[in-house]
Amino acid sequence: MNENPNPEPPARSRWEQLAGADSGAGYAARFERLAASGQDVHGEATFCTSLVDPGGTVLDAGCGTGRVAIRLDELGYDVVGVDVDSSMLAVARERAPHVPWHEADLAGVRAEDLDGAEGFDLVVLAGNVIPLLAPGTCPVTVASLAALTARGGLVVAGFGLDSAHLPAGCEPTPLAEYDDAAAAAGLTLVDRFATWDREPFEPGGGYAVSVHRR
């Protein structure tokens, strides 16, 4: 046998490093304040409804407290949420106990981690999920999520490309790195926007919403 007697622990995601162990309540409260002030906090969900009809299956990858998934569930979609942060999932489960919520690392997530769910019509990564991954895990994460997407299904990721659009201390993930990971996973870019409101994307912009098809 050639087993390592002292295997290295999995790399911690940037989210785990920046947010700490009890981030769920504070994160949810921030969006509650935004909603109370009149801001639209459902832009990502609205964008998703333009891609897949109600009744479609959606995986909210990096679902956090469930803001996007819960809204899509309300609009008639068959939604599953997955996240690595147990405190965020605790809020999601309290708010929508009927939605399947799973705790798993997106880097290597499999159908078995989702009680067998796969073949999703749409996989959505909102809220800077990509740059908040553990360093070096973008390719395996995109490959794992692509494998959970139906043939002809879509993978949508929106994330900041510079410090102005990212949490303090989060290093940007170059858009080319994400595109390379998507191509290696068999995904084809079909559209790209500068915002979830579909503003045109220009090279050098600070935010991108990318739509890839499997």
Side-chain angles (χ1 to χ4, degrees), residues 201-212:
F201 178 79
E202 297 291 342
Y207 195 91
V209 179
S210 305
V211 183
H212 285 79

Side-chain angles (χ1 to χ4, degrees), residues 40-51:
D40 179 13
V41 297
H42 297 306
E44 300 100 325
T46 301
F47 183 92
C48 291
T49 65
S50 71
L51 302 175

